[in-house]
Amino acid sequence: CQKQASPENTQLEDDPGLAETVRLAEQLLPNGTMTQWQRRFCTARNIRRYLDGRGGNPAAAADIFAQALRWREEYREVLSGEREPKWQTDLRVLARGEAGHPIIYGCFRFNVPATQSTTHHIIDHMAAVMEAASNAARRRCVTGADTIMDCHGYRMADNLNPAPMLALMRMANQPYRDGLRTAIVVDAPQSFQLLWRAAKPLLSEKTKQKIRFVSREEALKLLVALNGPQATEEVDRVMRLNRGTAEGCRGSRFPSELRDDDADGAGQEDDEQESFSGQALARRLTRRLTQHFSKTGQHGQKVCQRRRRVRFPLSGLMCCRRRVPIADAGA
């Protein structure tokens, strides 16, 4: 993925398809103009992703690209790092596969009920994580991230408001429409179908085909095939802690735990809004995050970090025994 050799770095004026996509997209924006923040996103690499995803049709690409630009303007403060989200759940970029694909993980055990006072914070949290995953994938020159939605601890009473799920579906369907490689829904109870029925109509057929409903054991086997044993062990470690300990593993770095991204970006110049990237956001937010943890949260993270040293052999991934019921794990 060398910049000098990659067609993704072609200047817009050198590619009529890219230039036409931008021109048509701008016409679809309010007042027919782009803000400075929106224009920063109009790099050859970003536009090509939308154009290729629409079979090289500039008009079709412009429609979805304009939606993405409007969304990015709506969440500009969070995506740019100007405003720190109030972290609500455990959702974060947890690991990276062998080929470079980031893995997003979130467990319903740490779900926060969506209320009038929390919904916008939950959506801000999700937006920051999606942006961090998108930037992590770009830095490794891969297409898309894998998302794991762990339904362990799911309670229908806490999810009667579908707003966060609908917002996530909107992100997958618009600004990050072609950024999802696989979505893995783990151990979904029957009651989860109510939430799924509300979200499903908002997804494109292409996105629906990427979603897999599997058991925990099946999820781990799928992850080995998709991302290799090392990333799978990390996901398995977190899922085991969330099912087998009172504290679980809520995470210690938001929106991403990929420390190698900090090192990779330290001496690099990025022609795609590096100063506004998820990497810069992660460094800024994680420094401030540690100052706000409660004593209970600190204790949970220490337990999580101590248990990080435990390695779970992949032979255990093939075990067909079901885990302890979710309700019992938190007792």
Side-chain angles (χ1 to χ4, degrees):
C1 187
Q2 297 297 322
K3 290 188 177 182
Q4 61 271 24
S6 174
E8 293 178 334
N9 294 291
T10 303
Q11 295 300 313
L12 296 184
E13 57 269 22
D14 295 336
D15 190 314
L18 299 182
E20 181 67 1
T21 298
V22 174
R23 186 185 70 81
L24 293 174
E26 185 166 19
Q27 294 178 354
L28 298 173
L29 297 175
N31 300 319
T33 59
M34 290 187 190
T35 65
Q36 181 181 6
W37 164 252
Q38 289 172 325
R39 199 166 295 280
R40 284 179 179 273
F41 192 66
C42 294
T43 64
R45 181 180 296 172
N46 284 336
I47 300 165
R48 186 175 297 282
R49 178 160 54 91
Y50 288 88
L51 186 60
D52 290 348
R54 296 300 165 277
N57 185 329
D63 182 62
I64 192 67
F65 189 58
Q67 294 179 52
L69 291 173
R70 286 195 292 268
W71 181 87
R72 291 186 65 82
E73 184 65 26
E74 181 180 354
Y75 289 93
R76 177 185 59 79
E77 292 183 347
V78 168
L79 301 181
S80 68
E82 292 179 20
R83 176 168 59 84
E84 176 182 358
K86 294 184 178 179
W87 306 113
Q88 300 293 299
T89 69
D90 70 323
L91 187 72
R92 75 271 196 195
V93 180
L94 176 62
R96 189 194 297 280
E98 287 180 340
H101 296 279
I103 302 173
I104 301 172
Y105 175 87
C107 182
F108 272 100
R109 169 176 177 166
F110 297 105
N111 182 61
V112 175
T115 65
Q116 186 175 2
S117 62
T118 64
T119 298
H120 65 288
H121 294 310
I122 295 171
I123 297 174
D124 283 351
H125 182 139
M126 293 189 299
V129 172
M130 294 291 282
E131 182 76 353
S134 176
N135 285 308
R138 187 195 70 242
R139 281 190 288 273
R140 294 302 175 91
C141 302
V142 297
T143 301
D146 295 327
T147 298
I148 302 171
M149 184 180 296
D150 190 350
C151 292
H152 179 88
Y154 178 84
R155 291 177 293 275
M156 186 170 64
D158 291 342
N159 293 275
L160 296 179
N161 183 350
M165 178 63 73
L166 298 181
L168 183 60
M169 295 302 100
R170 180 188 175 193
M171 294 179 203
N173 211 33
Q174 293 176 5
Y176 304 106
R177 185 169 187 170
D178 295 318
L180 175 68
R181 187 172 70 148
T182 306
I184 305 173
V185 184
V186 182
D187 288 344
Q190 188 64 33
S191 57
F192 182 80
Q193 293 303 315
L194 179 66
L195 194 61
W196 173 239
R197 283 197 296 269
K200 189 175 181 181
L202 301 179
L203 296 174
S204 66
E205 288 301 320
K206 182 179 178 180
T207 300
K208 291 176 187 176
Q209 295 174 5
K210 298 177 181 180
I211 300 175
R212 304 280 297 274
F213 286 81
V214 298
S215 67
R216 175 178 170 272
E217 290 78 14
E218 292 169 335
L220 294 174
K221 293 177 183 178
L222 179 59
L223 281 172
V224 170
L226 288 173
N227 292 298
Q230 184 173 352
T232 302
E233 285 184 2
E234 176 64 8
V235 175
D236 183 40
R237 179 189 70 82
V238 172
M239 288 201 290
R240 285 174 180 263
L241 289 173
N242 284 338
R243 285 161 172 75
T245 66
E247 299 85 1
C249 189
R250 185 164 184 162
S252 58
R253 285 168 56 93
F254 294 93
S256 174
E257 294 195 6
L258 299 181
R259 298 178 183 274
D260 59 325
D261 279 347
D262 291 340
D264 289 346
Q268 288 184 352
E269 249 183 67
D270 195 305
D271 59 356
E272 288 185 34
Q273 64 186 38
E274 181 61 35
S275 62
F276 295 94
S277 70
Q279 173 188 322
L281 176 62
R283 288 198 299 268
R284 180 184 303 179
L285 300 188
T286 50
R287 283 197 301 267
R288 296 171 59 185
L289 178 66
T290 56
Q291 301 173 5
H292 297 285
F293 282 141
S294 65
K295 292 182 179 179
T296 301
Q298 290 175 343
H299 174 70
Q301 291 163 39
K302 290 177 181 177
V303 172
C304 177
Q305 293 300 322
R306 285 199 303 268
R307 292 175 179 269
R308 183 181 292 273
R309 299 187 181 93
V310 180
R311 304 295 290 177
F312 296 100
L314 285 178
S315 59
L317 303 186
M318 306 305 168
C319 176
C320 296
R321 291 178 294 178
R322 308 295 290 178
R323 302 297 298 172
V324 176
I326 293 168
D328 295 339

